[in-house]
Amino acid sequence: MKVKFLPYQPHCFAFGGFEVQTLSTLQAVQKSGINASKLDVWDRDSSYDILNCWGLGIANYENVYWANRSGKKVVISALFPYYETLFEKAKFLASAAIYKVKLMREMARLADHVIVVNDVQAEVCQRYFSVPPSRISIAPNVVKNEFFAASGKTDRPNQFTARYNVADFILTTGNVCQRKNQLNLAKACIETGTPLVIIGKVLDGETKYSQQLEQLIEKSSNVKWIRGLEPGSDELIDAYRACSAFALPSFEEQQPISLLEAAAMQKPLLIADRAYAYQKYYANALKVDPGSVTSLKAGLQELKAQRESYIPPFEVVQDCLEVNVGNAYKTVYEQLM
C-alpha cells in the first residue's frame, strides 16, 4: 500500500500551522510503517493507492475529482469553520446553493474518508457536508515528542530566559495577523504590567496589522517580539518551559498547535471564548472575550491568582503524541484497502 500526501497550496505561500501539520503527520504516518511520501505533481507515475489531500477547499477540487476518476482511494484531512454566528450560517447556505460550499460538498461526497481533528469538527462535517459518521475519523494535530518530554522539567538552566532576559511572562506563538489578535493581547499586558513574549513571523498580507503592533510595543518595556523560531526547536521549547502561562485569544481557529504544545507542557491556557475553545484538549482553559481588552485584562489577573486551575488534563492531550496520530491514520488507510 502506497500513500501520497498533497498540500492545499505550495508551502512557499502562507506557511502556517496547517502546513506544519501536513509535514508532521506525514512523518508520523511513515513511522507507523506506512509507505507514504509527498506527491510530485510533475511526475506521471501513478503507482500508488491512496491520495491524502490536505484541505477540503476548492483548490483541491480537481485533485479529488481526478483521483476518484483514476480509481484511487481519496482521504481528505479537513479543517472546517464552526459556523458560530447567524451570518456565517446564512453565508454557508447561500454558498451551498451556488458557489464554494457546493463544490466542497461534492468533494466530500467523492472522498472515501474525511479525517478531522476533534469531535466538534466531526459534527460539522456530518451536519453541514452530509458525510456519514462511518466515513469520518478523528485524529488530532501532532505535538512533537520533545514537548511532552520537557513537561515539568526544571533540572537544567533555561537558555531562553537567559538570552532574552525575561521571567514570569505570558507566551503567545503563531503567525502575527489580525485573526490571532496579538494586538489586543499586547494592549492588555501593557495595561496590567504583565510581561509578554510574542513569537511569530508576519503573515503575508498583514503588514499594516504588524505595523500597529510594532508601534504599540515600541513604547513598552514589558513586551518582546521574536520574529519566528523554528517549529519544535530547543529554543522554542525553552520558551514554553519558561513561561508562566500561554495565551492565544484568536478570533477564529480550528485546533491551534500552539495551544496543544502548551497543554503538553502543562501550562495554564488563556483563550478566546469561541467554538474552538470547547474541544476536550483545551479543557480547563480560561476563556475571555477576544474583542475586549478589559476582558483580556481580567483574564490575565485571574491567571496570576489561580494558575493551576487552568491547566488542561495531561492524559487527554496524549492523543496528540506522534505515535497515536500516526496509528490513527494507519487505521483509516488499512480499512480503505
Side-chain angles (χ1 to χ4, degrees):
M1 175 173 59
K2 290 184 180 180
V3 179
K4 292 291 185 180
F5 270 45
L6 184 65
Y8 188 69
Q9 83 276 333
H11 279 191
C12 59
F13 300 131
F15 188 87
F18 191 61
E19 290 67 41
V20 169
Q21 277 308 303
T22 305
L23 299 175
S24 296
T25 304
L26 173 58
Q27 188 175 52
V29 167
Q30 290 169 335
K31 289 182 179 179
S32 77
I34 295 294
N35 183 356
S37 58
K38 301 171 187 174
L39 180 69
D40 182 352
V41 297
W42 298 101
D43 191 347
R44 296 185 64 185
D45 180 13
S46 62
S47 58
Y48 59 92
D49 306 290
I50 298 173
L51 179 65
N52 196 151
C53 291
W54 280 73
L56 182 68
I58 56 176
N60 264 330
Y61 179 83
E62 294 293 336
N63 301 321
V64 171
Y65 174 80
W66 285 108
N68 181 270
R69 287 284 300 270
S70 301
K72 307 298 183 188
K73 298 293 185 181
V74 177
V75 174
I76 299 178
S77 299
L79 291 178
F80 296 101
Y82 287 106
Y83 303 110
E84 298 180 67
T85 66
L86 287 175
F87 174 76
E88 289 172 334
K89 292 173 182 176
K91 187 177 177 181
F92 170 87
L93 292 173
S95 184
I98 59 174
Y99 182 49
K100 184 177 179 180
V101 171
K102 184 177 181 180
L103 295 178
M104 291 168 65
R105 277 181 160 176
E106 186 175 345
M107 287 174 63
R109 179 181 60 80
L110 291 173
D112 295 282
H113 212 83
V114 179
I115 299 178
V116 296
V117 295
N118 60 48
D119 53 355
V120 186
Q121 290 270 298
E123 185 179 340
V124 170
C125 183
Q126 183 180 350
R127 178 184 298 179
Y128 288 90
F129 293 89
S130 304
V131 179
S134 60
R135 291 200 289 117
I136 303 172
S137 292
I138 297 172
N141 287 328
V142 175
V143 175
K144 290 183 177 294
N145 295 335
E146 290 81 358
F147 286 92
F148 288 96
S151 177
K153 282 196 173 180
T154 57
D155 57 347
R156 62 181 175 86
N158 192 296
Q159 296 181 4
F160 185 89
T161 300
R163 178 176 179 181
Y164 294 101
N165 192 29
V166 290
D168 196 27
F169 61 91
I170 301 294
L171 176 66
T172 189
T173 68
N175 286 331
V176 171
C177 58
Q178 189 169 0
R179 176 176 63 83
K180 287 192 179 289
N181 201 24
Q182 290 97 342
L183 189 60
N184 276 354
L185 177 61
K187 288 177 181 177
C189 286
I190 290 170
E191 292 182 23
T192 57
T194 305
L196 171 67
V197 173
I198 301 169
I199 299 177
K201 298 178 181 178
V202 179
L203 188 66
D204 292 344
E206 295 281 352
T207 303
K208 184 176 180 180
Y209 184 80
S210 70
Q211 289 172 344
Q212 291 178 303
L213 182 62
E214 274 184 318
Q215 291 168 4
L216 178 69
I217 64 179
E218 278 177 0
K219 306 170 186 176
S220 170
S221 60
N222 65 309
V223 179
K224 292 183 183 293
W225 180 5
I226 302 166
R227 294 175 183 251
L229 295 176
E230 190 66 25
S233 64
D234 289 344
E235 190 171 6
L236 181 62
I237 292 171
D238 265 358
Y240 277 94
R241 197 161 61 90
C243 74
S244 60
F246 188 89
L248 189 72
S250 298
F251 290 105
E252 183 183 352
E253 296 279 2
Q254 278 79 35
Q255 190 182 76
I257 308 163
S258 58
L259 285 175
L260 295 176
E261 291 169 342
M265 296 283 284
Q266 289 293 273
K267 295 295 179 177
L269 303 182
L270 183 148
I271 60 180
D273 191 3
R274 292 289 191 266
Y276 72 88
Y278 290 87
Q279 54 191 288
K280 65 180 182 179
Y281 306 105
Y282 309 141
N284 300 337
L286 176 59
K287 302 175 185 67
V288 296
D289 178 358
S292 167
V293 174
T294 300
S295 179
L296 281 161
K297 287 164 59 178
L300 291 170
Q301 299 290 8
E302 175 64 16
L303 272 185
K304 292 177 184 177
Q306 301 286 342
R307 287 178 183 172
E308 297 300 317
S309 300
Y310 302 109
I311 299 174
F314 187 66
E315 62 274 11
V316 174
V317 77
Q318 286 182 312
D319 288 354
C320 302
L321 280 163
E322 183 180 56
V323 63
N324 293 333
V325 176
N327 285 334
Y329 271 78
K330 180 180 181 179
T331 297
V332 170
Y333 299 149
E334 289 178 340
Q335 289 175 347
L336 289 178
M337 299 305 293

